[in-house]
Amino acid sequence: VYVLSPMYGVSFGPKNGGSEHGMLDCRLAVALAAWAPILREHGVVKVEHFSTYRPGARVRSRGKSSGHARALAIDAARFHLADGRVLD
């Protein structure tokens, strides 16, 4: 799935705009929906990520399939706060 609108006041999206790397497994979308109210409570209005889905992604140290290969992981890159600050 793709999250196209804010969840509980928090937007999630790829840092590079739109791409296949913003696709989420439904289970990750549910986890983000559970996390969003906590983020919002702390002033976060937007989370940019490097990627969620990377076909064939592997854990470097173990060679096992990564959660990214199944769109079950997120690499949060930047948090935008309601007061205009950005946490990189």
Side-chain angles (χ1 to χ4, degrees), residues 23-34:
M23 184 170 44
L24 310 174
D25 180 279
C26 293
R27 293 167 288 180
L28 180 55
V30 168
L32 293 179

Side-chain angles (χ1 to χ4, degrees), residues 24-25 27 52-54 57 65-73:
L24 310 174
D25 180 279
R27 293 167 288 180
T52 52
Y53 177 60
R54 291 194 318 268
S65 181
S66 164
H68 289 287
R70 297 176 308 283
L72 285 168

Side-chain angles (χ1 to χ4, degrees), residues 2-87:
Y2 290 91
V3 176
L4 302 176
S5 60
M7 292 191 283
Y8 301 97
V10 180
S11 297
F12 294 88
K15 192 169 178 256
N16 64 355
S19 75
E20 73 175 6
H21 300 290
M23 184 170 44
L24 310 174
D25 180 279
C26 293
R27 293 167 288 180
L28 180 55
V30 168
L32 293 179
W35 190 32
I38 298 163
L39 290 169
R40 189 68 188 109
E41 185 177 307
H42 293 282
V44 176
V45 294
K46 181 177 179 182
V47 176
E48 290 180 283
H49 58 79
F50 291 117
S51 67
T52 52
Y53 177 60
R54 291 194 318 268
R58 305 206 83 43
V59 177
R60 193 177 319 209
S61 63
R62 297 186 178 165
K64 291 184 175 184
S65 181
S66 164
H68 289 287
R70 297 176 308 283
L72 285 168
I74 185 170
D75 290 331
R78 189 174 284 151
F79 295 84
H80 296 259
L81 304 180
D83 64 8
R85 290 180 295 157
V86 177
L87 305 175

